[in-house]
Amino acid sequence: MDAATQTDSDVTQPAVAVPALRVPLTARPLGEILVLTAGLTPAQVDEALAHQAEKGVRVGEALVALKHATEEQIARALAAQLDLEYLAKLHPDEVENELLAKLPITFAKQAKLLPVRHLDDGSVLVATAEPLDTAAMDHVRLLLGATTTPALATPQTVVDVINRVYDRASDESQRLVDSLEENDDLAELSHELEEPKDLLVVGDDEAPIIRLVNSLLFRAAKERASDIHIESYERDMSVRFRIDGVLREVIKPPKRAQASIISRVKIMGGLNIAEKRLPQDGRIRIKIAGRDIDIRLSTTPTIHGERIVMRLLDKSAVLLNLEDIGFDENQLRIMQGLIDRPHGIILVTGPTGSGKTTTLYAALSRINTPDLNIMTIEDPVEYQLKGISQTPVNPKIELTFANGLRSFLRQDPDVIMVGEIRDLETAEIAIQASLTGHLVFSTVHTNDAAGSITRLVDMGVQPFLVASSLVAAMAQRLVRVVCTACRVPTTVTDQELRTSGLRDEQIAEFLRTGTFFRAYDKGCAECNYTGYHGRTGIYEIMLVDDAVRALILKNSDSNAIKREAVHSQQMLLLREDGVKKASRGISTLEEVMRVTEEAMD
């Protein structure tokens, strides 16, 4: 158990006879306390100490693993040892909402603690499963602006209450939807113009529509949603969140609230609420628990009313490094060699939402030093990178990728990132930039790495220009990471791997060394009952070597180029990299098959 921590004497001093009660519990090792309070035998404590020394775990974890004690018994003993209050039960109603607003849920879960209520002495009672994590307690004191009094609870108790109290926002969404049925003046309420400074501090006196929309935005941010879809149908509405790339319905507001909800969102985005026949684009800036979140808003008219999609961009999110986005050691070594080159074009390919921009940002961050002039032109600029000049395209004033790239060449750049190569003009300027000593990063929409070459040729670029400027093309997808808290071990057969298109030697290797899991059907609280938590990348990196360059000059098709790259470079295909990650327990075989189906066509 995470909370069970021992002193040095736990390791060096074996449990012997039951100690005399006149010695205070705070002066005893954890094992002796359990002998006194939980009925353990000295032999069981000795066995746990041996297990602790062998496995390098805490003595409490050893006792639970050996089934000599329960988590509750360990927690009670630890509370006695540290002279702390033990919370056998903790009800969500005991937790003060104003304290929750100051503590992000991710931090609370990681630190396994939760502020409960103010005490008479002015301090805040904090339930914790890790009482010796002083750094976490220091952070809580800073966030709350108050002194803290720790109380010990089991990890399960703390995590369960965290999920329940932060899920009040979810319940609030449905409660507000139900209350809309009783409100006859929805249209007037939706025109309230005042925007909240922080969505978590909205008062109960706010209009139901405002509180409903705010509640949805908060819930989306809490559940790590990348998009919110508000859809209008003939008899009802639907609100869906895209979480880890998969859409999931969260509530169904009544049809009579449609105009009010859409109007409220359009007001927040600065759009024209009277214009319902044409698509509109806008932007919303909000704060949730102190986190700055940008929302890109898009409306589209349908036969049953307007449809809204909101893309959430958390400005406080930490920019990922190349090591964090799914590259294995060999792929990381290849990428490092590519981004250190002085010139050439590096293309990243894949459909929308496959993580291309994140990969390019990670690459730029790796080489971002004061001695380099790095410039980007993007549509739009999703995250701001310190020390890098970023320009958003603006078609209204003819600031296109091509025009922006052309102006960049007069700004003495060393590295250029072009958000996307969409036409011949942009492609030709990018190639010219690479041939004149610039390193150029960009993206195209193709299924695999080899397809990016034929896409450039199809645009009208001469094959010899592609061969002389392109140094590498990389395809990628995002697969969901199976939840480590509830994943289930599974057996994968030779036939299952063979139908996935793997080579015989790969099948033998995966079956010999791999450990496969499947997602638990019902999920758990950690993964929001989906079986998956987060996403990681799978990659197909193709270097343009002499063999590939010769095929480009011959205007060969993408299949021939792919076969040559596999033969001469031992290039790992997207599905092969995905199955490799599944064999290491990172994702599941079903998820990899789903995501790579298109790439295998």
Side-chain angles (χ1 to χ4, degrees), residues 358-420:
T358 298
T359 299
L360 290 178
Y361 280 174
L364 292 179
S365 296
R366 175 65 68 91
I367 61 175
N368 183 18
T369 56
D371 60 328
L372 287 180
N373 179 19
I374 303 176
M375 306 184 70
T376 75
I377 182 163
E378 307 170 55
D379 182 20
V381 174
E382 294 192 4
Y383 296 100
Q384 297 179 23
L385 306 177
K386 187 176 181 180
I388 295 178
S389 299
Q390 297 173 268
T391 303
V393 300
N394 190 345
K396 295 180 180 178
I397 57 173
E398 297 186 358
L399 179 53
T400 61
F401 282 121
N403 290 338
L405 183 54
R406 189 180 289 109
S407 70
F408 281 5
L409 297 180
R410 298 189 289 271
Q411 293 286 317
D412 187 31
D414 298 294
V415 180
I416 299 172
M417 186 188 106
V418 185
E420 183 183 347

Side-chain angles (χ1 to χ4, degrees), residues 519-538:
Y520 179 46
D521 297 337
K522 297 180 181 179
C524 67
E526 290 290 327
C527 59
N528 204 22
Y529 307 99
T530 63
Y532 295 91
H533 189 278
R535 288 190 291 176
T536 190
I538 57 175

Side-chain angles (χ1 to χ4, degrees), residues 274-286:
E275 180 55 78
K276 302 178 181 179
R277 301 166 301 170
L278 296 174
Q280 296 185 67
D281 294 319
R283 185 179 180 186
I284 302 173
R285 291 183 177 181
I286 61 173

Side-chain angles (χ1 to χ4, degrees), residues 449-575:
S452 63
I453 294 173
T454 54
R455 175 61 57 86
L456 291 177
V457 174
D458 290 343
M459 286 182 186
V461 180
Q462 294 297 321
F464 76 91
L465 288 175
V466 177
S468 58
S469 61
L470 189 64
V471 296
M474 181 180 75
Q476 71 174 74
R477 299 291 190 277
L478 292 176
V479 295
R480 291 181 292 171
V481 175
V482 65
C483 177
T484 55
C486 65
R487 64 185 183 181
V488 181
T490 188
T491 301
V492 174
T493 65
D494 177 280
Q495 184 59 32
E496 286 178 297
L497 293 179
R498 197 169 298 282
T499 55
S500 66
L502 300 182
R503 301 189 292 272
D504 289 341
E505 62 272 19
Q506 292 175 321
I507 293 174
E509 177 70 13
F510 290 143
L511 290 177
R512 182 176 63 84
T513 64
T515 302
F516 291 86
F517 292 86
R518 65 174 176 83
Y520 179 46
D521 297 337
K522 297 180 181 179
C524 67
E526 290 290 327
C527 59
N528 204 22
Y529 307 99
T530 63
Y532 295 91
H533 189 278
R535 288 190 291 176
T536 190
I538 57 175
Y539 302 95
E540 176 182 299
I541 305 177
M542 185 188 73
L543 303 177
V544 181
D545 55 14
D546 290 340
V548 170
R549 196 171 288 112
L551 291 177
I552 297 175
L553 292 172
K554 293 179 183 177
N555 208 12
S556 301
D557 62 30
S558 60
N559 288 329
I561 295 173
K562 180 191 292 187
R563 285 193 299 269
E564 179 57 41
V566 171
H567 172 72
S568 64
Q569 305 171 17
Q570 285 73 53
M571 179 179 75
L572 212 58
L573 301 180
L574 273 171
R575 178 167 289 181

Side-chain angles (χ1 to χ4, degrees), residues 256-269:
R256 63 195 301 274
Q258 175 178 310
S260 305
I261 293 173
I262 291 175
S263 293
R264 174 59 188 168
V265 174
K266 290 171 74 173
I267 288 171
M268 293 179 71

Side-chain angles (χ1 to χ4, degrees), residues 324-338:
D324 302 326
I325 58 178
F327 289 115
D328 62 26
E329 290 185 9
N330 183 55
Q331 292 169 332
L332 195 59
R333 178 182 55 80
I334 294 173
M335 281 298 295
Q336 188 63 57
L338 291 173

Side-chain angles (χ1 to χ4, degrees), residues 16-314:
V16 285
V18 176
L21 290 175
R22 65 176 177 272
V23 180
L25 294 181
T26 53
R28 301 181 186 274
L30 192 66
E32 290 185 8
I33 297 174
L34 287 163
V35 170
L36 282 171
T37 61
L40 269 68
T41 66
Q44 289 175 320
V45 176
D46 286 338
E47 185 183 358
L49 292 173
H51 183 86
Q52 174 197 24
E54 177 185 354
K55 301 294 185 181
V57 298
R58 297 171 176 176
V59 69
E61 293 175 319
L63 286 165
V64 173
L66 294 170
K67 297 185 178 179
H68 293 334
T70 65
E71 290 188 340
E72 182 179 359
Q73 289 172 330
I74 299 293
R76 286 182 180 274
L78 188 59
Q81 184 189 49
L82 300 175
D83 195 22
L84 295 178
E85 178 186 357
Y86 175 70
L87 301 176
K89 294 181 180 179
L90 183 60
H91 197 277
D93 290 342
E94 298 178 53
V95 181
E96 297 176 2
N97 287 333
E98 64 180 85
L99 297 175
L100 292 181
K102 300 177 181 180
L103 195 73
I105 184 174
T106 51
F107 173 76
K109 282 189 172 183
Q110 288 171 359
K112 292 187 175 64
L113 55 77
L114 183 69
V116 180
R117 62 181 179 272
H118 286 88
L119 299 176
D120 294 338
D121 61 2
S123 66
V124 175
L125 180 70
V126 177
T128 176
E130 296 279 3
L132 297 185
D133 188 351
T134 56
M137 277 296 177
D138 289 341
H139 291 320
V140 172
R141 279 193 287 271
L142 288 173
L143 289 169
L144 300 181
T147 58
T148 57
T149 300
L152 209 142
T154 66
Q156 191 61 51
T157 297
V158 174
V159 171
D160 285 348
V161 175
I162 287 174
N163 288 327
R164 292 178 66 183
V165 296
Y166 281 95
D167 274 343
R168 286 172 182 168
S170 307
D171 300 336
E172 176 74 359
S173 299
Q174 189 58 55
R175 187 180 66 79
L176 290 169
V177 167
D178 295 340
S179 72
L180 294 179
E181 298 285 359
E182 306 169 2
N183 199 304
D184 295 325
D185 201 14
L186 297 174
E188 180 180 344
L189 293 174
S190 67
H191 287 264
E192 171 60 57
L193 291 175
E194 183 180 354
E195 295 185 28
K197 293 182 179 180
D198 193 309
L199 298 189
L200 292 185
V201 294
V202 178
D204 290 337
D205 56 342
E206 292 281 10
I209 287 294
I210 295 176
R211 287 189 285 130
L212 171 61
V213 173
N214 291 348
S215 176
L216 285 173
L217 294 176
F218 167 63
R219 182 177 176 184
K222 178 178 75 83
E223 296 183 7
R224 302 176 297 104
S226 61
D227 301 86
I228 303 173
H229 291 236
I230 302 177
E231 298 158 312
S232 305
Y233 300 112
E234 183 177 6
R235 298 184 182 277
D236 57 16
M237 296 181 67
S238 173
V239 177
R240 297 191 291 172
F241 291 168
R242 186 178 297 278
I243 302 173
D244 293 334
V246 177
L247 281 170
R248 181 169 63 88
E249 186 173 78
V250 290
I251 60 170
K252 293 179 71 69
K255 181 69 173 178
R256 63 195 301 274
Q258 175 178 310
S260 305
I261 293 173
I262 291 175
S263 293
R264 174 59 188 168
V265 174
K266 290 171 74 173
I267 288 171
M268 293 179 71
L271 303 184
N272 182 0
I273 62 174
E275 180 55 78
K276 302 178 181 179
R277 301 166 301 170
L278 296 174
Q280 296 185 67
D281 294 319
R283 185 179 180 186
I284 302 173
R285 291 183 177 181
I286 61 173
K287 273 192 174 184
I288 296 179
R291 294 161 50 197
D292 288 319
I293 296 179
D294 274 355
I295 300 176
R296 298 198 329 244
L297 170 66
S298 173
T299 71
T300 299
T302 71
I303 58 174
H304 298 302
E306 290 180 282
R307 185 184 194 277
I308 290 178
V309 174
M310 291 179 274
R311 166 67 57 88
L312 278 66
L313 301 172
D314 188 347

